[in-house]
Amino acid sequence: MDITLIKSHIAPVVESMGCELLDVECEVKRGDTHLTFFIANEAGITLDDCERVHRAIDPVLDELDPSKGAPYTLNVSSPGLDRPFKTLRDFERNYGKKVEVKLYDPYRGKKVYEGVLIEKAEHTVTVAVTVKAVDERIQFEDSKVVYVRPYVSFE
């Protein structure tokens, strides 16, 4: 399936409903194809939002026929609390908020940092962290970062 083509046809429909299309995933699970659309809005996504968007994009997908007639399951979902940031807009929405940064290799003996997201530049992400009671800003190169996602605490 051509995800770029699908996004270009579906994003305007989702936006007209007051939501943003964050991502589209196509996965094969146990031999079944699943096409999942992740949506967001400022108020937070409800089950009703997912259902409304599902109904609106289903006929567009039928006309587009992204699977060339093969069966697939259509899913519409919120991104979840801890979904890693994928777009510049994801980062911009989270400036000033606490995030978790996971690295491929340890930096100063750690692979996971928690701090406040300061900036996302072209090839780096900057986070304000407290290390041994000292506040500092650390700039991580994108190539060293597994993911950056919202920090979620269940305390």
Side-chain angles (χ1 to χ4, degrees), residues 19-152:
C19 296
E20 178 184 358
L21 180 62
L22 297 177
D23 200 11
V24 179
E25 291 180 356
C26 182
E27 295 180 301
V28 177
K29 298 177 186 175
R30 296 185 193 110
D32 297 325
T33 302
H34 295 263
L35 187 58
T36 304
F37 292 80
F38 294 95
I39 61 172
N41 63 27
E42 294 301 319
I45 295 299
T46 66
L47 187 57
D48 288 340
D49 293 325
C50 293
E51 188 175 328
R52 284 184 318 108
V53 170
H54 188 285
R55 284 192 190 127
I57 67 175
D58 193 31
V60 177
L61 288 168
D62 284 346
E63 187 174 313
L64 188 60
D65 191 21
S67 66
K68 309 283 189 259
Y72 63 90
T73 300
L74 172 59
N75 304 299
V76 178
S77 178
S78 71
L81 290 175
D82 62 350
R83 175 186 170 270
F85 304 151
K86 295 185 177 187
T87 67
L88 180 58
R89 183 141 162 74
D90 287 341
F91 284 93
E92 290 171 346
R93 262 196 301 266
N94 288 281
Y95 286 163
K97 296 180 182 174
K98 193 166 183 183
V99 297
E100 177 182 87
V101 179
K102 182 172 183 182
L103 306 173
Y104 288 106
D105 297 307
Y107 174 76
R108 297 184 187 169
K110 292 174 57 175
K111 287 179 77 170
V112 178
Y113 283 82
E114 297 165 4
V116 176
L117 181 61
I118 302 298
E119 179 185 39
K120 173 66 179 105
E122 187 174 352
H123 300 289
T124 61
V125 61
T126 304
V127 178
V129 300
T130 303
V131 179
K132 296 182 182 176
V134 176
D135 294 334
E136 65 177 292
R137 290 181 179 204
I138 300 177
Q139 189 175 68
F140 299 103
E141 294 178 33
D142 289 346
S143 63
K144 311 269 185 203
V145 175
V146 176
Y147 62 73
V148 178
R149 66 182 183 189
Y151 175 78
V152 179

